[in-house]
Amino acid sequence: MKSEKYDQIFKLNKAWLESKKEEDHQYFKNLYEGQNPEFLYIGCSDSRVPANTITGLDVGDLFVHRNIANVVSNNDMNIMSVIQYAVEELKVKHIIVCGHYGCGGVKSAMEQKSYGLLDSWLRNIRDVYRHNYQELSVITDENTRYDRLVEMNVMEQVENVIKTSYVQKSYNKNGFPTVHGWVYDMKSGKLIDLDINFESCLKEVQKVYKID
Ligand SMILES: [Zn+2]
């Protein structure tokens, strides 16, 4: 069944492409030639956290992977392929893992409730909860605990990116990419850099996961 909103998409597309061509008649031709993004962005699928919009970056600037709660799982061929391609072929300079306060995926992982198939995905976040249980359990305010788990999940996924051979090999050889952890605050629209020290994080991870 079609809806008014659905039909509108093609009208909006037409208006958008015309405005782009008006600014630069070569716009689409140039983009078609190839991509050279500086960033790989790994974020949440949440409709309220659109990568290009919140960063203010243009078409072609971001290579993007999104899933529920911005999880970087070693068993997920999808994200592992994205990371490999971004690092080895596109040679991105920065990889960003961006979580967000108010994340439904993180919230669900804090609840003692089953979500069917989603349970195995949320298990990645429950593991982050377990690894940090002591720190989290002393936070009595539920929303503060929830926000903290969002941040911890970002840090954990940053480490998971660093654990990959593609990132370690490239950094060793080229000095890039560096990996960053961000949180997007939906209430204010603000992007927060968690200021993760990439070098020391890499050293820490490599105590066990050095594969280059
Ligand atoms: Zn989310």
Side-chain angles (χ1 to χ4, degrees), residues 28-113:
F28 293 103
K29 189 178 174 288
N30 290 341
L31 283 174
Y32 185 74
E33 299 293 320
Q35 61 171 331
N36 187 25
E38 198 178 322
F39 310 99
L40 163 61
Y41 170 100
I42 298 165
C44 182
S45 297
D46 195 303
S47 61
R48 298 162 296 177
V49 194
N52 284 73
T53 310
I54 63 169
T55 54
L57 291 172
D58 207 351
V59 175
D61 286 339
L62 285 179
F63 197 61
V64 173
H65 179 90
R66 291 169 69 183
N67 63 39
I68 292 174
N70 40 273
V71 168
V72 179
S73 167
N74 181 48
N75 298 319
D76 177 8
M77 296 307 286
N78 187 345
I79 197 163
M80 286 299 135
S81 306
V82 165
I83 294 173
Q84 183 186 3
Y85 186 75
V87 172
E88 292 184 352
E89 302 300 323
L90 298 174
K91 304 192 186 313
V92 296
K93 304 295 180 294
H94 304 272
I95 300 178
I96 295 141
V97 177
C98 183
H100 67 103
Y101 296 134
C103 182
V106 173
K107 182 142 208 155
S108 305
M110 283 177 73
E111 291 166 356
Q112 293 175 334
K113 190 175 158 186

Side-chain angles (χ1 to χ4, degrees), residues 24 44 56 60 72 101 115 127 153 156 166 209:
D24 173 7
C44 182
V72 179
Y101 296 134
Y115 287 91
D127 288 342
N153 183 45
E156 182 85 12
Y166 328 117
Y209 300 91

